Amino acid sequence: MKEIFKNDWQEILEDEFQKDYYKELRKLLINEYRTHEIFPKATDIFNAFNYTAYSDVKVVILGQDPYHNVGQAHGLAFSVKEGVRIPPSLVNIYKELNSDLGIPIANTGYLKSWADEGIMLLNTTLTVRAHEPMSHSKIGWEIFTNAVIEKLSEKEEPIVFILWGNHAKKRKKFIKNNRHLIIEGVHPSPLSANRGFFGSKPFSRANKFLEENGIKPPSWVVKEV
């Protein structure tokens, strides 16, 4: 795993990489990758940062941890690799996107086109053991991603934080600047989507806020590779 970003995140997070907790996390991860099957592959861990520069972030969608089945995770929350079956939560996100903005439901679950538009797809835990959901949730990643959320909160330009489900909502306390918009809602999982996710219109609400602040909203169209 290399913490070398291709953009302004490198300077922003340089101090975080020098902290003791992160050094311990790094050691643990090196051993985990040697001894277990871990997702995503090490070169994809930081794709949320590499694909969306700090200066380009308009919207942050917060996920929990990577998909834990073979061939799915590639470093972006809710996204799967091209050609992989679209997971149920993302199917529901697409349904709400279609209802809210009239955007046709995509045939791919690969969301890099969103990342390229300034939509940061950040999981609070960045790695997972194969077939063991939340297996890396207590090893230090959340200290790191909480710090990332605080850094995003410091941005001068208003941005939108979309927090779906209780896990994401717990990160609200790290968004300390009231210039930003926080959209809280029910998780899009099939277990909960019918309890308030459908009809919540998060995408149009995000667009309206950005437009009111003189910022061009991202395109929510999911482009196939």
Side-chain angles (χ1 to χ4, degrees):
M1 51 177 287
K2 289 185 179 179
E3 304 87 350
I4 299 174
F5 302 141
K6 306 163 187 171
N7 53 39
D8 51 6
W9 279 112
Q10 185 67 36
E11 184 177 352
I12 289 163
L13 294 175
E14 197 63 55
D15 289 346
E16 207 64 30
F17 296 140
Q18 305 309 316
K19 293 181 179 177
D20 289 342
Y21 87 87
Y22 191 86
K23 290 177 181 177
E24 288 303 311
L25 168 62
R26 197 178 196 284
K27 276 190 222 166
L28 187 151
L29 283 170
I30 289 168
N31 186 61
E32 283 284 291
Y33 273 93
R34 281 185 189 140
T35 57
H36 295 81
E37 188 174 18
I38 305 296
F39 301 134
K41 64 182 182 180
T43 51
D44 285 343
I45 292 174
F46 295 108
N47 278 348
F49 301 87
N50 282 321
Y51 293 164
T52 311
Y54 181 85
S55 57
D56 293 339
V57 174
K58 296 179 179 181
V59 178
V60 180
I61 298 179
L62 208 56
Q64 195 158 334
D65 69 335
Y67 295 118
H68 55 87
N69 290 325
V70 176
Q72 292 181 302
H74 67 102
L76 301 181
F78 293 102
S79 179
V80 290
K81 292 179 181 178
E82 188 69 38
V84 174
R85 183 178 178 182
I86 302 171
S89 291
L90 185 54
V91 169
N92 287 339
I93 290 169
Y94 286 170
K95 286 178 181 175
E96 179 60 20
L97 182 64
N98 175 255
S99 170
D100 188 8
L101 296 180
I103 291 173
I105 292 174
N107 295 316
T108 178
Y110 186 61
L111 299 178
K112 184 175 182 294
S113 60
W114 278 10
D116 293 340
E117 285 285 321
I119 303 165
M120 188 173 191
L121 299 162
L122 179 66
N123 280 317
T124 55
T125 298
L126 300 188
T127 55
V128 68
R129 285 184 183 180
H131 316 302
E132 295 183 42
M134 300 303 291
S135 48
H136 281 179
S137 65
K138 301 280 196 295
I139 65 172
W141 273 130
E142 293 192 6
I143 303 171
F144 175 74
T145 52
N146 288 344
V148 169
I149 295 166
E150 288 184 324
K151 298 283 188 191
L152 287 161
S153 176
E154 291 168 6
K155 270 180 74 82
E156 288 297 320
E157 303 85 359
I159 61 176
V160 180
F161 290 87
I162 297 179
L163 311 179
W164 286 323
N166 291 332
H167 181 85
K169 289 177 189 175
K170 288 177 184 173
R171 272 63 204 173
K172 182 180 179 180
K173 63 187 175 186
F174 299 105
I175 306 165
K176 297 170 182 173
N177 200 314
N178 60 12
R179 72 167 68 91
H180 307 305
L181 175 66
I182 300 173
I183 296 176
E184 298 180 73
V186 174
H187 196 278
S189 159
L191 298 172
S192 55
N194 287 313
R195 299 202 295 267
F197 176 75
F198 293 127
S200 61
K201 300 189 178 297
F203 310 103
S204 59
R205 288 160 64 194
N207 286 358
K208 181 172 182 284
F209 172 80
L210 292 169
E211 286 171 346
E212 286 172 350
N213 283 279
I215 298 166
K216 182 183 177 183
S219 169
W220 292 96
V221 176
V222 178
K223 296 170 187 159
E224 296 187 45
V225 177

